[in-house]
Amino acid sequence: MSDGIARLLEVMARLRDPQAGCPWDVQQTFATIAPYTIEEAYEVADAIDRDDMHDLRDELGDLLLQVVFHARMAEEAGHFAFADVVAAICDKMLRRHPHVFAVDASNRVDTAQAQTVAWNEHKRREREARGDEVDFSVLTGITRGMPEWQRALKLQQRAATVGFDWPDVNPVFEKLHEELNEVRAELQSRATSVDGPGSSANHERIEDEIGDVLFVCANLARHAKVDPGTALRRANAKFERRFRRMEQLAQADGAALASLTLDAQDAYWNRTKVEEKS
């Protein structure tokens, strides 16, 4: 084990020491740390989006700390230690990449798509060897613990491995228009509903239809070979950048954005767009 990793493990052990450690670190559990683990993973992705290698180095360190934190808590409870985590992932990579590490040339995989199919087959065999409940669905093993947009993408990718997929992007556009029309119809129905606009049944139908729209949008991104999470992060960053600039422009004109009409706010928004293009 490298000196750097050993030092990090010592730091975490000290932080978790019941007598001499940090009170905040000592009181944490797997459940309380999990949200930070997810947040750190997103901050890694954000640094990559910004092409900021200095931040990426720091964010990867933060993410590594999360792994060490979970491993330390597991070791304290007698479940496993950090070394076991490292051994498990090394063994898994060797097992799931026989085309790289095995001597037998028959295991050769020539494309990323073929490797994805092989990877899922390895996972199926591992579940079978563990004695997990038999589930022959191609969708088996797609966890519910990930962001829903990511789960939608994985569901679609798995379904595509058995041919359940549109041949190109054009039918996806048609489906998106269809789903948008269904949302519009439900919204119009809510406005004229005898049960009132806030009825739970109508709300659930609208929720279902908007969910269908988002699911199709994820499919559109997949066919365009765009990661929907990355696309949404960029859209969020764009909106934040432009909105902050709107506030600056309004302030420079001696106006508070909240006091302006929507038309006046739109004018500032359009100015920010023109600035970016120029």
Side-chain angles (χ1 to χ4, degrees), residues 13-259:
R14 180 67 181 273
L15 289 171
R16 287 280 298 178
D17 186 280
Q19 280 74 46
C22 170
W24 186 90
D25 291 277
V26 170
Q27 74 178 16
Q28 300 310 308
T29 66
F30 294 112
T32 62
I33 288 296
Y36 294 100
T37 307
I38 295 169
E39 180 181 341
E40 296 299 350
Y42 275 112
E43 290 183 359
V44 167
D46 177 62
I48 293 171
D49 286 345
R50 292 183 285 104
D51 195 26
D52 189 327
M53 293 298 107
H54 181 274
D55 272 6
L56 179 59
R57 180 201 65 189
D58 289 349
E59 298 302 345
L60 286 171
D62 291 342
L63 186 58
L64 177 59
L65 180 66
Q66 295 298 307
V67 177
V68 170
F69 208 139
H70 285 286
R72 179 63 195 180
M73 291 188 291
E75 184 175 4
E76 292 167 357
H79 299 307
F80 56 82
F82 181 79
D84 300 311
V85 175
V86 174
I89 189 59
C90 287
D91 290 345
K92 181 186 293 184
M93 290 301 101
L94 292 171
R95 187 170 63 248
R96 293 189 182 177
H97 293 83
H99 56 291
V100 176
F101 299 105
V103 177
D104 186 359
S106 66
N107 289 309
R108 182 174 179 81
V109 174
D110 295 319
T111 67
Q113 183 178 7
Q115 167 55 16
T116 299
V117 173
W119 179 275
N120 290 329
E121 176 60 18
H122 284 302
K123 290 176 68 175
R124 186 194 65 77
R125 291 175 184 171
E126 289 168 9
R127 288 193 300 270
E128 191 174 80
R130 289 195 304 266
D132 292 352
E133 183 177 349
V134 177
D135 183 350
F136 295 102
S137 173
V138 72
L139 304 180
T140 301
I142 300 178
T143 178
R144 296 182 182 274
M146 64 181 71
E148 292 300 335
W149 64 261
Q150 188 177 10
R151 191 161 188 271
L153 198 63
K154 285 188 174 293
L155 289 168
Q156 294 162 6
Q157 289 169 336
R158 288 283 188 89
T161 63
V162 295
F164 190 70
D165 195 12
W166 281 300
D168 55 56
V169 75
N170 291 316
V172 188
F173 280 118
E174 294 171 7
K175 187 64 176 177
L176 181 57
H177 287 304
E178 176 188 327
E179 298 296 350
L180 285 170
N181 286 333
E182 291 179 5
V183 172
R184 181 180 289 110
E186 286 297 339
L187 288 171
Q188 291 172 344
S189 174
R190 182 172 71 177
T192 59
S193 173
V194 294
D195 297 326
S199 70
S200 60
N202 185 257
H203 178 79
E204 288 181 3
R205 290 196 301 271
I206 292 172
E207 191 173 64
D208 285 346
E209 297 301 346
I210 289 178
D212 290 343
V213 169
L214 295 175
F215 191 83
V216 176
C217 283
N219 220 335
L220 177 62
R222 182 174 64 88
H223 276 269
K225 302 187 185 309
V226 168
D227 176 71
T230 300
L232 187 55
R233 281 196 301 275
R234 294 189 64 175
N236 287 340
K238 182 193 301 181
F239 178 85
E240 182 178 7
R241 182 179 67 248
R242 290 178 177 176
F243 190 86
R244 287 179 179 274
R245 182 55 180 159
M246 282 173 58
E247 293 175 316
Q248 293 172 351
L249 292 172
Q251 185 177 22
D253 290 341
L257 204 61
S259 67

